[in-house]
């Protein structure tokens, strides 16, 4: 097709090619529905549970839904108290502010299990933490504290990948000095009187760390995506978004006014099909060329634990002359031999990624985010990004904390502590994932990913799992519908360099028992792992 110059020939070939693509896509989709394999990614084949698990999961949701309608009937006739927000009597003739049916799931399922979320932490969220005990007398509509504290709960849910969320006085001395010098906040935007020398120092260090020309920082990770994407694309542009992208990316895409099309997760066939159609057909109705085509992906997907197939995406974006937006919120600092993220892990030149985004809220134990890339891109965003123009600058102590952690990772503090933490995280990740596979759990994600989802499937087992693990003083995060597909509820474990081998062995011991008690070991694969070789590894 690249050698055809006639417009009519191009149109004919595009139609034929589109027909063939659709036919092959139908065949491919039939295979994917059966196997859920990620094409070309041997380490990330998503294993499916036996059919009876899906049947029981749907049956469980069906029973809950029936009881939900019954309880709504009891509330409607006044036999049960309604705790949700309702319109006042004098507002009954107004357009309803609260949509009753939209809250059906929250009202009838989530409230019954709400004790497993939003637990109040009353200590440093390091490898272990303390939780305040609370109970409910009205089926989780309200809680009251008992005054008892659960001490030394092993923290398997925080994004503290490198263990920099710490409170050692010696380590935080520079942060304390910065607080005394600058205060805790600048109370202004960077464009007015909130631009400090340490902000510029951080941006220079981020650019050197990533191996790009320039970077700029923002005070909030979520806003780094949602407020910068509208500055990069708009009406007449096309965004190709991975189906599992984070909400901040989705919101930014919607706010931009660009046309959005979603491709299957990490599926290069789906992405290339959309790129080819976008280049051949152009915009709907007018068929004018798109002003820009922007591919949006994440480095590590926080619910799946999968790693983006970056090298293949870069090849496609070059082939079809598109742009690439890479969100490294969970991957920067956490993967790669020196912690430089998925570009280092996959051997991709950072210059091939047009927009590199990341946050400081995970591996760096701080807050905020960054955009990095070519100097022209960053200079443009400094004047056109709402997050840059209107948002308050990073807090000075937070800025110093990021500088401290990044210098440690890069070895600029004169020690090898940063590299030790990166290697410890990688070792913990490999060990934990290998043991879970050996036990028979179904887990998702790449072997390099410190995000480890364990599939639980059934709603009742999700609740029982979270409560049972807390009884054993292990804090876990469980996730279900609508954050995940309805049949793929899971527990998400996040590994940290701060976890010792003894902590992981304790967690694995209890996981093994709980998995047997609740019948959670659904895997039918046999993993030929040597327990001896795993046990010979020691903490570095």
């Amino acid at each position: 097709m690249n050698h055809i110059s006639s417009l009519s020939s191009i149109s004919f070939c595009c139609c034929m090619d589109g027909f063939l693509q659709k036919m092959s896509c139908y065949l491919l989709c039939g295979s994917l529905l059966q196997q859920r394999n990620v094409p070309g990614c041997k380490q990330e084949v998503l294993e499916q549970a036996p059919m009876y698990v899906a049947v029981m999961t749907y049956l469980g949701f069906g029973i809950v839904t029936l009881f939900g309608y019954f309880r709504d009937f009891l509330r409607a006739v006044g036999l049960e108290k309604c705790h949700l927000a309702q319109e006042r009597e004098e507002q009954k003739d107004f357009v309803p502010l609260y949509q009753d049916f939209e809250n059906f799931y929250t009202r009838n399922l989530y409230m019954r299990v709400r004790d497993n979320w939003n637990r109040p932490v009353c200590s440093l969220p390091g490898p272990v933490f303390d939780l305040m005990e609370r109970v409910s007398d009205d089926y989780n509509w309200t809680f009251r504290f008992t005054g008892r504290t659960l001490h030394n709960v092993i923290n398997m849910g925080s994004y503290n990948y490198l263990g920099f969320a710490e409170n050692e006085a010696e380590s935080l001395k520079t942060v304390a000095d910065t607080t005394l010098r600058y205060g805790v906040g600048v109370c202004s935007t960077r464009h007015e009187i909130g631009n400090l020398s340490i902000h510029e120092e951080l941006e220079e260090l981020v650019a050197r760390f990533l191996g790009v020309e320039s970077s700029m920082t923002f005070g909030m990770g979520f806003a780094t995506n949602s407020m910068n994407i509208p500055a990069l694309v708009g009406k007449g542009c096309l965004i190709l978004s991975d189906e599992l992208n984070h909400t901040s990316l989705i919101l930014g895409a919607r706010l931009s006014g660009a046309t959005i099309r979603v491709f299957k997760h990490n599926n290069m066939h789906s992405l290339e099909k959309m790129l080819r159609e976008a280049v051949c057909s152009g915009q709907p109705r007018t068929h004018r060329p798109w002003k820009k085509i922007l591919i949006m992906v994440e480095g590590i997907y926080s619910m799946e634990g999968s790693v983006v197939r970056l090298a293949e995406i870069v090849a496609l974006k070059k082939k079809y002359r598109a742009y690439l937006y890479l969100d490294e919120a969970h991957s920067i600092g956490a993967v790669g031999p020196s912690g430089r993220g998925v570009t280092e892990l996959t051997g991709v030149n950072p210059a091939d990624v047009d927009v590199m985004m990341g946050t400081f809220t995970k591996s760096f134990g701080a807050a905020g985010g960054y955009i990095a890339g070519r100097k022209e891109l960053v200079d443009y965003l400094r004047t056109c990004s709402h997050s840059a123009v209107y948002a308050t600058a990073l807090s000075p102590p937070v800025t110093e904390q990021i500088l401290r952690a990044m210098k440690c990772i890069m070895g600029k503090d004169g020690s090898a502590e940063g590299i030790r933490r990166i290697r410890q995280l990688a070792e913990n990740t490999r060990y934990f994932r290998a043991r879970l596979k050996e036990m028979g759990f179904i887990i998702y994600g790449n072997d390099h990913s410190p995000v480890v989802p364990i599939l639980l499937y059934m709603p009742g087992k999700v609740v029982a799992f979270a409560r049972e693990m807390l009884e054993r003083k292990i804090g876990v995060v469980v996730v279900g519908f609508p954050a995940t597909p309805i049949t793929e509820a899971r527990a998400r474990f996040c590994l940290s360099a701060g976890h010792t081998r003894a902590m992981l062995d304790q967690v694995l011991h209890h996981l093994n028992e709980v998995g047997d008690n609740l019948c959670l070991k659904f895997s039918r694969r046999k993993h030929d792992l040597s327990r001896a070789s795993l046990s010979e590894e020691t903490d570095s």
Side-chain angles (χ1 to χ4, degrees), residues 271 275 279 293 295 310-324 348-354:
L271 176 58
L275 282 168
V279 172
I293 300 177
I295 304 170
L310 189 59
E312 296 168 79
I313 291 178
V314 167
L316 287 177
K317 80 107 179 175
K318 288 181 177 179
K319 179 179 179 180
Y320 293 97
R321 298 183 180 275
Y323 295 96
L324 176 59
V348 171
N349 186 347
D352 290 334
V353 180
D354 301 287

Side-chain angles (χ1 to χ4, degrees), residues 172-327:
L172 297 176
K173 186 178 184 305
T174 58
V175 178
D177 293 341
T178 300
T179 306
L180 292 174
R181 179 180 179 184
Y182 293 106
V184 295
V186 295
C187 304
S188 177
T189 68
R190 295 279 297 277
H191 282 217
E192 294 171 337
I193 57 174
N195 190 39
L196 303 180
S197 59
I198 57 173
H199 291 142
E200 298 184 357
E201 180 187 357
L202 175 59
E203 290 176 345
E204 292 174 3
L205 188 65
V206 169
R208 288 203 302 273
F209 180 63
L210 298 175
V212 295
E213 293 180 4
S214 183
S215 75
M216 64 182 302
T217 59
F218 305 88
M220 182 181 179
F222 191 97
T224 305
N225 277 332
S226 60
M227 292 291 101
N228 281 294
I229 293 173
L232 296 173
V233 291
K235 189 176 181 180
C237 299
L238 174 65
I239 293 176
L240 300 180
S241 176
D242 190 289
E243 66 178 341
L244 296 183
N245 275 343
H246 189 261
T247 305
S248 59
L249 289 168
I250 297 171
L251 178 60
R254 289 175 176 173
L255 291 175
S256 70
T259 301
I260 305 169
R261 292 175 184 167
V262 179
F263 63 91
K264 295 182 182 298
H265 173 56
N266 253 351
N267 189 318
M268 298 303 104
H269 295 291
S270 176
L271 176 58
E272 184 167 18
K273 177 178 181 291
M274 291 185 179
L275 282 168
R276 184 184 293 114
E277 289 181 352
V279 172
C280 292
S281 302
Q283 299 183 44
R285 294 188 297 275
T286 64
H287 298 289
R288 293 177 180 175
W290 295 100
K291 295 178 181 178
K292 298 175 189 174
I293 300 177
L294 180 66
I295 304 170
M296 292 199 317
V297 294
E298 295 186 48
I300 291 179
Y301 291 84
S302 59
M303 287 297 171
E304 305 290 325
S306 55
V307 173
V308 65
R309 296 165 63 176
L310 189 59
E312 296 168 79
I313 291 178
V314 167
L316 287 177
K317 80 107 179 175
K318 288 181 177 179
K319 179 179 179 180
Y320 293 97
R321 298 183 180 275
Y323 295 96
L324 176 59
Y325 188 107
L326 174 63
D327 179 343

Side-chain angles (χ1 to χ4, degrees), residues 10 40 58 76 96 113 128 145 165 184 227 229 248 292 301 314 346 355 359 376 394 438 444 457 494 513:
I10 291 177
Y58 279 115
V113 297
V128 296
F145 294 109
V184 295
M227 292 291 101
I229 293 173
S248 59
K292 298 175 189 174
Y301 291 84
V314 167
T346 58
V355 186
T359 65
E376 294 85 352
L394 269 172
E438 182 185 15
Y444 281 176
Y457 300 104
C494 293
E513 290 187 347

Side-chain angles (χ1 to χ4, degrees), residues 37-45 266-269 309 312:
N37 289 352
V38 181
C41 192
K42 295 180 181 179
Q43 293 184 335
E44 297 186 36
V45 177
N266 253 351
N267 189 318
M268 298 303 104
H269 295 291
R309 296 165 63 176
E312 296 168 79

